[in-house]
């Protein structure tokens, strides 16, 4: 039996970046899939996934504005009144709050996916307090709430933001370890040099630890001058902690780092590096680290939620203390002291971990189990009405 399913996110980009395989699997299963997101440069490629797209006009990722947020709730209500989906999946705080409220109005089951706590929870204050209250209000009306890591799960349950009975931890967004992030699919020419190349992948945000990465790079290059430090990711994103162009230009000008820009297919760059580094302050479940591990690369990451689950310290990488340049430098030196064969062994260990624990097939099965449960409940309701 097929049903109509809406998926809601705060960017079209995030659907393509994190949920391509999930969306395709739902379409392939015969469900009518409708994607709700604001328009951006990635909206057009979404249509190739076989889903219908409804562009949201009122969803702003910036701040909490009561008038704008009410308009967003109203927009969701109008869409659900017209579409009458059987189930809604939603991601990030504003969809999780206002889409849930609108879905409840029409008795549509909603599943909230907590992809991370983000800026509002890293920087505590009035915004954090309001965000907690909104979550507490909205999540009581969800069917389930899914978390990408244990710390976020515990945070919400311990503070009674969600009922423990409806909370579940899932293994991230899922990584396609065979058809996409597979080192055997990418050929990289061996230039024969002995340089070690570190790579930072992510939005250029201070919360991602990019300043610590640059500071560590500056210190490492004084001791190991042939070491290369790459940065790849979006600049000037819509976020209060975004790195500005002038700062990036200064880092490049003094020779500390090489900025590669934002690249759609990250696999060739990952294949060309020796270690991927993410000294982030907070993650839901780092897709960058999962993809890099799946590509058989050693990792350096902060010992924080959303990163520490992916790194078995000393086995497939090293964990550093958050916002601690000394600790990050020490981890980089440990990578530099390894032989190429030892780094390769670390990478192989990481790939095995991704295949066994974080495969997208596991995540897809969770979605389909949830859908099967909704279908069963609908059938039971129909039988009850007939009898």
């Amino acid at each position: 039996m097929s049903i109509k399913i809406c998926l809601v996110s705060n960017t079209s980009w995030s659907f393509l970046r994190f949920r391509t395989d999930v969306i395709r699997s739902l379409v392939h299963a015969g469900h009518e899939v409708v994607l709700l997101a604001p328009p951006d440069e990635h909206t057009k490629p979404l249509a190739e996934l076989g889903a219908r797209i409804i562009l949201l006009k009122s969803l702003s990722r910036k701040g909490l504005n009561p008038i704008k947020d009410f308009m967003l709730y109203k927009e969701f209500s109008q869409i659900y009144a017209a579409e009458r989906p059987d189930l809604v999946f939603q991601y990030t705080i504003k969809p999780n709050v206002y889409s849930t409220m609108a879905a409840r109005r029409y008795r549509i089951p909603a599943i909230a996916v907590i992809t991370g706590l983000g800026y509002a929870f890293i920087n505590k204050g009035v915004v954090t307090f309001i965000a907690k209250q909104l979550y507490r209000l909205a999540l009581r009306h969800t069917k389930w709430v899914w978390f990408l890591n244990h710390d976020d799960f515990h945070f919400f349950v311990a503070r009674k933001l969600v009922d423990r009975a409806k909370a579940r931890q899932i293994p991230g967004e899922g990584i396609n370890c065979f058809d996409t992030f597979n080192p055997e699919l990418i050929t990289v020419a061996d230039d024969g040099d002995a340089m070690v190349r570190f790579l930072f992948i992510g939005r250029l945000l201070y919360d991602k630890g990019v300043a610590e990465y640059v500071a560590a790079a500056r210190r490492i290059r004084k001791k190991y001058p042939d070491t290369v430090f790459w940065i790849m990711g979006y600049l000037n994103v819509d976020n209060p902690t975004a790195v500005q162009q002038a700062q990036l230009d200064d880092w490049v000008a003094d020779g500390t780092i090489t900025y590669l820009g934002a690249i759609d297919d990250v696999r060739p760059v990952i294949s060309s590096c020796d270690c991927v580094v993410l000294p982030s302050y907070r993650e839901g479940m780092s897709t960058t680290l999962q993809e890099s591990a799946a590509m058989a690369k050693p990792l350096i990451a902060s010992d924080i939620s959303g990163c520490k689950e992916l790194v078995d310290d000393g086995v497939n990488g090293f964990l550093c203390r958050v916002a601690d340049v000394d600790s990050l430098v020490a981890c980089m030196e440990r990578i530099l002291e390894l032989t190429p064969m030892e780094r390769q062994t670390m990478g192989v260990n990481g790939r095995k971990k991704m295949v066994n624990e974080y495969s997208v097939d596991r995540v897809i099965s969770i979605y389909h189990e949830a859908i099967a449960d909704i279908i069963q409940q609908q059938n039971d309701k129909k039988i009850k009405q007939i009898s």
Side-chain angles (χ1 to χ4, degrees):
M1 178 179 174
S2 61
I3 61 175
K4 180 186 284 191
I5 304 169
C6 286
L7 282 75
V8 191
S9 188
N10 62 356
T11 62
S12 296
W13 170 83
S14 64
F15 281 133
L16 279 179
R17 180 70 177 85
F18 304 121
R19 300 170 199 113
T20 294
D21 291 297
V22 168
I23 292 167
R24 283 176 174 157
S25 76
L26 299 180
V27 172
H28 182 73
H31 302 299
E32 182 181 353
V33 180
V34 184
L35 306 178
L36 280 62
D40 59 35
E41 65 270 26
H42 297 88
T43 300
K44 188 174 181 180
L46 274 182
E48 298 175 7
L49 301 181
R52 185 157 53 89
I53 303 165
I54 295 178
L55 299 179
L56 296 173
K57 302 174 183 177
S58 308
L59 204 167
S60 169
R61 299 170 64 194
K62 274 189 174 181
L64 297 170
N65 182 310
I67 296 175
K68 290 183 178 179
D69 290 348
F70 176 75
M71 295 301 296
L72 178 60
Y73 163 75
K74 186 175 179 181
E75 184 175 10
F76 280 131
S77 296
Q78 292 171 341
I79 291 170
Y80 295 151
E83 294 289 335
R84 297 288 177 164
D86 299 289
L87 176 62
V88 175
F89 290 98
Q90 54 224 359
Y91 314 83
T92 67
I93 181 169
K94 288 194 176 183
N96 279 334
V97 170
Y98 300 110
S99 171
T100 295
M101 292 178 177
R104 176 189 177 237
R105 181 176 178 181
Y106 299 101
R107 298 182 179 181
I108 301 166
I111 297 177
V113 184
I114 309 298
T115 56
L117 300 189
Y119 177 81
F121 286 86
I122 294 173
N123 301 275
K124 296 176 173 40
V126 175
V127 172
T128 303
F129 175 79
I130 294 172
K132 287 181 182 177
Q133 302 314 310
L134 289 172
Y135 264 135
R136 183 177 286 114
L137 174 65
L139 296 183
R140 71 180 62 173
H141 303 300
T142 56
K143 179 70 177 175
W144 294 292
V145 181
W146 293 352
F147 297 87
L148 305 189
N149 67 65
H150 177 73
D151 286 3
D152 289 354
F153 175 100
H154 177 74
F155 181 94
F156 273 67
V157 171
R159 289 161 180 76
K160 301 188 185 304
L161 302 181
V162 64
D163 185 345
R164 171 66 181 80
K166 63 172 63 176
R168 177 179 183 180
Q169 183 180 341
I170 67 172
E173 302 274 15
I175 297 298
N176 190 325
C177 296
F178 296 100
D179 297 329
T180 308
F181 291 94
N182 183 344
E184 294 181 2
L185 301 178
I186 304 296
T187 301
V188 177
D190 184 1
D191 54 18
D193 66 45
M195 290 183 179
V196 174
R197 297 169 176 85
F198 290 96
L199 171 63
F200 172 99
I201 310 174
R203 293 174 296 162
L204 271 66
L205 307 177
Y206 288 106
D207 286 350
K208 293 288 185 182
V210 66
E212 287 82 359
Y213 176 80
V214 173
R218 189 172 287 122
R219 285 172 52 178
I220 289 289
R221 283 179 56 81
K222 288 180 180 180
K223 187 174 180 181
Y224 305 91
D226 290 336
T227 309
V228 175
F229 291 87
W230 292 336
I231 290 180
M232 177 169 60
Y234 287 97
L235 179 68
N236 291 330
V237 297
D238 186 11
N239 188 289
T241 71
V243 173
Q244 299 304 307
Q245 182 72 57
Q247 178 62 81
L248 178 62
D249 290 343
D250 288 343
W251 290 338
V252 172
D254 69 17
T256 304
I257 59 99
T258 299
Y259 178 55
L260 305 179
I263 299 173
D264 289 334
D265 187 357
V266 300
R267 296 173 300 168
V269 182
I270 294 174
S271 292
S272 300
C273 80
D274 297 284
C275 178
V276 173
V277 184
L278 184 65
S280 181
Y281 296 1
R282 185 83 186 192
E283 294 288 321
M285 185 62 68
S286 170
T287 300
T288 289
L289 293 179
Q290 291 178 81
E291 292 171 349
S292 301
M295 293 294 291
K297 293 299 175 179
L299 310 175
I300 294 176
S302 302
D303 189 7
I304 56 146
S305 175
C307 291
K308 63 185 178 182
E309 297 89 344
L310 304 172
V311 180
D312 297 327
D313 195 58
V315 178
N316 69 313
F318 300 110
L319 291 169
C320 63
R321 292 185 295 274
V322 66
D324 188 327
V325 176
D326 290 340
S327 179
L328 180 56
V329 167
C331 288
M332 289 178 173
E333 288 187 326
R334 292 178 74 181
I335 288 290
L336 288 164
E337 290 165 1
L338 296 175
T339 67
M341 184 60 69
E342 288 171 332
R343 287 195 292 269
Q344 183 179 357
T345 298
M346 271 196 163
V348 170
N349 292 339
R351 176 164 172 77
K352 288 179 180 177
K353 183 177 178 68
M354 294 305 107
V355 171
N356 293 335
E357 300 177 29
Y358 293 94
S359 170
V360 72
D361 292 336
R362 293 188 65 195
V363 175
I364 287 173
S365 68
I366 293 170
Y367 275 81
H368 286 285
E369 287 168 7
I371 293 167
D373 186 73
I374 294 296
I375 291 173
Q376 183 62 52
Q377 290 182 24
Q378 289 179 345
N379 290 339
D380 291 345
K381 185 177 179 179
K382 291 177 182 178
I383 292 172
K384 187 175 180 180
Q385 290 173 343
I386 294 173
S387 61

